[in-house]
Amino acid sequence: MSDWRLYLAILAVGAAAYAMRAGGYLVMGVLPQTGLLPRLLRLAPGNLFVGFSVAGILEGGWPSLAGCAAAVVAMAATKKEWAALAAGFTAAAVTAALL
């Protein structure tokens, strides 16, 4: 790919990203501030996180499931991120070694 095409591609991606952001601001400016739609939009980030997490866990199989479950239990019990990470990694490694 020649240099001018590379720069043109970078410029096009940047323009598209800016247009999407500007369009989002414009659309959100005209939406009502109360009602069902704003509540659903506030819930969307959590729903996306859960959806991506579940997809990763299912792709990883039993070791991923054991690691995530151990991390959730450790985080609930200790409220410490390092304990949850250690428990999750340990459970995933032990499960992977046993399977």
Side-chain angles (χ1 to χ4, degrees):
M1 184 181 286
S2 63
D3 284 341
W4 69 271
R5 286 185 180 169
L6 179 64
Y7 292 132
L8 184 64
I10 292 171
L11 182 66
V13 169
Y18 182 76
M20 292 292 287
R21 179 172 283 211
Y25 282 123
L26 292 173
V27 167
M28 291 305 291
V30 298
L31 286 178
Q33 297 298 316
T34 59
L36 179 63
L37 185 60
R39 283 194 315 225
L40 290 175
L41 290 175
R42 278 192 296 276
L43 293 174
N47 294 339
L48 293 174
F49 175 75
V50 169
F52 288 126
S53 299
V54 168
I57 291 168
L58 292 176
E59 184 70 25
W62 289 109
S64 293
L65 180 61
C68 288
V72 167
V73 169
M75 188 67 180
T78 65
K79 305 286 192 259
K80 304 246 184 261
E81 293 88 3
W82 59 267
L85 285 169
F89 286 133
T90 301
V94 168
T95 306
L98 292 176
L99 294 178

